[in-house]
Amino acid sequence: MQTVGTLGNEVIISRFQSIRSQTETICKPLLTEDYVVQPIADVSPPKWHLGHTSWFFETMILKRFYKGYKIFDPAFNYIFNSYYESIGDRLLRTDRGNLSRPSVHQVFEYREYVNRHINELLTGKLDLETLTFLEIGLQHEQQHQELLITDIKYILGHNPLFPVYAAKKKQDTGFISADIHFLEIPEGVYEVGFNNGGFYFDNEKPVHKKYIQKFKVMDRLITNRKYLQFMNEGGYRNFSFWLSDGWEAIQSQGWKAPFYWMEKDGVWHEYTLSGLKKVNPDEPVTHISFYEAEAFANWSGKRLLTEFEWEVAVNFLKPEIRKGNFIESGNFHPVPSSGNNRQFFGDVWEWTYSAYHPYPGYRRAEGPLGEYNGKFMIGQLVLRGGSCATPVSHFRTTYRNFFQPDKRWQFTGIRLAENY
Ligand SMILES: [Fe+2]
């Protein structure tokens, strides 16, 4: 398997327990009823995520590499296969919320069964192929941790009782800068793509060169304050800011504000995982589509970055300002910029104006892992930077997230650039 990097045996052993238990920690605040709901096709029930991530380890690792492994329940292949054509027929995505059985309890038993067998496998000597698949299983689990957070938010945020998932954390209110500065990035031919040791997804390779014209990039994310100004100045009513598809989307969907925003007595509120609260003007705006990000850029007289400009700009940052607000902070929401944090990492995934296409020379792997990333390289845009729901050890500068331009349920936000 040459299309992904891998870590050593010891690293995998120590990570397996903590990553699998982190998934269960994320689910701790849920009531049994919360585990089963699928309000829209994009949002999977938490129970399904728990079963699917276990199915991934069972199917990709235990069935291949554990001699004599006995499948927990042969029927689970049909209900927990997500999109792997090479692994057989599967339940329609839209029907995941119909799975009243297996029970939540049985799904946790399934997890425990798979964990026990993976732990047994880890006591033996493992070859490179097994280690590679194990690492992919862990990275996959971390991707689903982020999806769990955003799907739980959708489920609870569409309950009129607006349940609290986690109490709001006290925030570091040290230095909050209202000023936005632009960092100048010189023109040049730059290398992009993954070029370090450790794990990477195949879509981050091959490393290749890009000519970048000089540009300036904002050293802050766009805040709710600025986005409110866009709204108040008719941003959603003036077609001239919008792409044709975006204008069509806001008409047909009735969008007038970011997702999760609602006006109560003339004051904008938003649902957060800490409950319904007044919109904080200093927080980065989030839960917006690509269309809204692009319209906002036009209104500002600026533009979105390409994914390559984003990667090149980040490499100009000093290492000490590369920390960010990831899932481990426990905020589950973007926080105001403080200190030197330029917020390139964590908080919100930043929409870029780059199509999610293969890098030059990219080839899909053989077998089911070839279906992991490569087959989605059409009709989607790249997002960079990670979010407040991303596990920090899952993130890399070269990480390419991708969604269709109308999606709003992930923690998505805006950074702008301009030419000079
Ligand atoms: Fe998955």
Side-chain angles (χ1 to χ4, degrees):
M1 178 72 203
Q2 74 280 20
T3 53
V4 292
T6 191
L7 299 168
N9 197 346
E10 315 71 40
V11 184
I12 300 252
I13 291 168
S14 68
R15 294 181 69 221
F16 180 76
Q17 301 252 349
S18 68
I19 290 176
R20 288 285 280 176
S21 69
Q22 170 66 9
T23 304
E24 288 161 27
T25 303
I26 288 169
C27 293
K28 275 251 160 60
L30 301 181
L31 302 180
T32 306
E33 291 79 357
D34 301 326
Y35 279 95
V36 192
V37 183
Q38 185 181 28
I40 57 166
D42 284 332
V43 171
S44 295
K47 183 173 74 173
W48 188 87
H49 285 292
L50 292 171
H52 165 71
T53 46
S54 300
W55 168 86
F56 193 94
F57 276 107
E58 181 174 67
T59 307
M60 305 290 183
I61 293 118
L62 291 173
K63 277 171 75 175
R64 287 158 187 264
F65 304 113
Y66 189 112
K67 273 209 176 72
Y69 176 73
K70 188 171 174 301
I71 287 172
F72 181 79
D73 185 334
F76 283 8
N77 193 56
Y78 183 75
I79 59 175
F80 291 132
N81 179 2
S82 51
Y83 54 66
Y84 295 90
E85 301 286 349
S86 56
I87 296 177
D89 291 341
R90 61 201 175 277
L91 182 75
L92 281 176
R93 185 186 179 103
T94 48
D95 288 352
R96 292 174 186 169
N98 299 345
L99 293 169
S100 57
R101 309 294 170 91
S103 66
V104 172
H105 180 70
Q106 285 170 314
V107 168
F108 274 104
E109 282 183 341
Y110 180 37
R111 282 186 74 80
E112 204 279 318
Y113 180 83
V114 167
N115 284 350
R116 180 151 43 86
H117 286 83
I118 292 282
N119 277 319
E120 284 172 16
L121 188 69
L122 288 170
T123 59
K125 190 161 167 43
L126 303 176
D127 60 19
L128 185 63
E129 190 186 15
T130 315
L131 285 168
T132 302
F133 272 81
L134 277 163
E135 182 57 35
I136 290 169
L138 291 174
Q139 299 286 339
H140 173 256
E141 182 99 11
Q142 290 185 305
Q143 286 183 317
H144 277 273
Q145 288 172 358
E146 173 147 13
L147 289 170
L148 267 166
I149 293 292
T150 53
D151 289 2
I152 289 168
K153 181 167 183 178
Y154 195 107
I155 290 165
L156 300 181
H158 287 75
N159 183 318
L161 302 178
F162 300 118
V164 171
Y165 168 79
K168 188 167 166 47
K169 290 193 78 174
K170 242 188 144 47
Q171 266 160 30
D172 170 17
T173 50
F175 168 74
I176 295 175
S177 171
D179 300 331
I180 291 175
H181 299 285
F182 281 80
L183 310 169
E184 292 186 1
I185 309 296
E187 75 161 352
V189 176
Y190 296 92
E191 261 193 3
V192 295
F194 184 84
N195 203 10
N196 291 310
F199 181 86
Y200 57 90
F201 279 117
D202 58 355
N203 60 12
E204 298 164 60
K205 286 276 211 178
V207 172
H208 60 287
K209 292 191 172 81
K210 279 274 171 192
Y211 169 70
I212 304 284
Q213 298 208 6
K214 65 179 182 178
F215 69 103
K216 289 199 235 177
V217 56
M218 268 183 187
D219 71 345
R220 294 284 186 275
L221 294 167
I222 295 300
T223 59
N224 289 328
R225 176 181 286 106
K226 203 72 189 160
Y227 201 82
L228 273 163
Q229 190 186 342
F230 165 68
M231 288 163 55
N232 292 336
E233 293 182 11
Y236 281 85
R237 297 192 299 275
N238 187 339
F239 72 89
S240 67
F241 301 133
W242 295 81
L243 290 166
S244 174
D245 286 358
W247 185 245
E248 169 66 30
I250 65 169
Q251 305 304 313
S252 60
Q253 304 295 324
W255 294 345
K256 293 183 171 62
F259 201 44
Y260 293 115
W261 283 34
M262 58 202 84
E263 208 170 6
K264 285 165 68 92
D265 303 323
V267 180
W268 282 106
H269 288 65
E270 66 176 324
Y271 178 73
T272 72
L273 282 164
S274 306
L276 194 63
K277 68 175 184 77
K278 281 185 190 162
V279 167
N280 178 345
D282 290 316
E283 288 171 358
V285 67
T286 190
H287 295 301
I288 50 151
S289 62
F290 168 81
Y291 297 135
E292 289 159 300
E294 205 273 336
F296 178 89
N298 287 327
W299 171 81
S300 303
K302 299 191 169 44
R303 62 174 177 84
L304 299 176
L305 285 80
T306 68
E307 64 165 320
F308 309 109
E309 287 173 330
W310 189 94
E311 193 172 313
V312 167
V314 158
N315 287 328
F316 277 90
L317 300 179
K318 292 183 186 132
E320 63 267 27
I321 59 171
R322 290 179 174 206
K323 59 184 183 180
N325 171 32
F326 289 93
I327 192 172
E328 289 78 8
S329 70
N331 290 308
F332 308 112
H333 199 71
V335 297
S337 169
S338 63
N340 260 335
N341 183 4
R342 302 289 189 262
Q343 296 182 299
F344 277 91
F345 304 100
D347 285 303
V348 295
W349 286 103
E350 300 172 28
W351 283 110
T352 73
Y353 212 146
S354 291
Y356 178 52
H357 285 170
Y359 283 174
Y362 171 85
R363 290 185 74 85
R364 286 193 218 171
E366 299 280 322
L369 290 183
E371 295 190 60
Y372 200 106
N373 285 312
K375 72 180 186 181
F376 300 110
M377 289 174 171
I378 188 68
Q380 311 204 47
L381 288 144
V382 174
L383 301 101
R384 293 296 196 107
S387 83
C388 56
T390 310
V392 68
S393 65
H394 182 64
F395 177 71
R396 295 169 297 284
T397 299
T398 54
Y399 196 106
R400 306 171 79 200
N401 200 354
F402 49 92
F403 280 103
Q404 289 93 358
D406 61 334
K407 300 302 182 200
R408 308 209 297 170
W409 96 110
Q410 297 298 302
F411 287 97
T412 45
I414 312 172
R415 183 186 306 276
L416 298 180
E418 64 181 7
N419 302 330
Y420 73 99

